[in-house]
Amino acid sequence: MIRVLVATDKPFAPIAVDGIRKIVEGAGYELVLLEKYTSQSDFVRAVANVEAVIIRSDKADREVIEAGKNLKIIVRAGAGYDNIDLAAATAHNVVAMNTPGQNSNAVAELAIGMMIYMARNLYNGSSGTELKGKKIGIHAFGNVGFLVGKLAKGFGMEVYAYDPFIPAAEIEKQGVKAVNSADELYSTCQYISLHIPANEKTKKSINFELLSKMPKGATLVNTARKEVIDEEGLMKIFKERSDFKYLSDIEPDCKNDLVAGFSGRFFFTPKKMGAQTAEANINAGIAAAKQIVEFFEKGVTTYKVN
Ligand code: 3PG
């Protein structure tokens, strides 16, 4: 019998787990749940006897993949797959997939929610500002970037985007102004919302030089990955510009320095919360379960990333 492990340090909503169970058991497979595990060795142990794994930001590293002697497929219920060792997966004939688009709306809503929270001075009772009429630059116009742009337009913002992989005409079709470079985006927009993946090219790419181009009243919104930020550069800009603010869906490594010297100018979620809604959990979890069943029953590999 095929066994499907759901390994989630940050569990799905119970209703999403019920949905996953229905699909897995409906196919005649067994569901194994490993939630809120305290050490990576628990994951390594649990993977030993299963054919398939569903994860979120959990680390499917080389050790996990090598421990999965029967493992055929890992599905990241979500967009970013920087937490899967793709080379190890490929070397062991394990198919890796993601579920693009399934949790995007939740992430986009969080980006806008954090922007409003900061624009109103963290609701501290003082007069804040509005999003209406401000310029927002979407850095990478994928599923989440597109939705942030759509929501931002609803708030009356002027929306710009830069994405080297999407033709300008496609971006402009959505009523968004396409710019030709990251430099141009950062020089133009008071708000920047990051939607780039974390990879060898993008890690630490959001640096002092780029951030210092942002106009007065700059707010950087990061619902992507903390690794894309050059935190030394971030600290430098915080010291040089009292108008600079940072919102991040996950605590940066420089958290203590920011807490010590720059209160009121940042907000971090304690855990990655972007995709943490019942709807996103249901969409991504169920998509992952269906992709596993289709893979075993029909050999479908549509969202394979390795
Ligand atoms: C993603 O890449 O899909 C998001 O970062 C969500 O991650 P999570 O499933 O750990 O919340």
Side-chain angles (χ1 to χ4, degrees), residues 259-299:
V259 170
F262 304 97
S263 83
R265 291 172 48 198
F266 60 84
F267 171 74
F268 313 126
T269 53
K271 272 200 170 196
K272 189 135 66 81
M273 296 299 296
Q276 202 59 326
T277 65
E279 293 89 336
N281 289 173
I282 292 168
N283 293 342
I286 287 181
K290 282 186 176 160
Q291 286 172 215
I292 287 172
V293 173
E294 293 216 315
F295 169 75
F296 283 116
E297 302 303 319
K298 300 182 194 153

Side-chain angles (χ1 to χ4, degrees), residues 10 12 55-58 76-83 99 103-104 107 144 223-225 249 272-276 281 284:
K10 187 176 59 191
F12 288 121
I55 53 171
R56 297 186 61 182
S57 289
D58 308 81
R76 195 284 191 238
Y81 46 87
D82 47 307
N83 50 327
T99 65
N103 58 19
S104 309
V107 181
V144 184
T223 54
R225 291 288 182 272
D249 182 20
K272 189 135 66 81
M273 296 299 296
Q276 202 59 326
N281 289 173

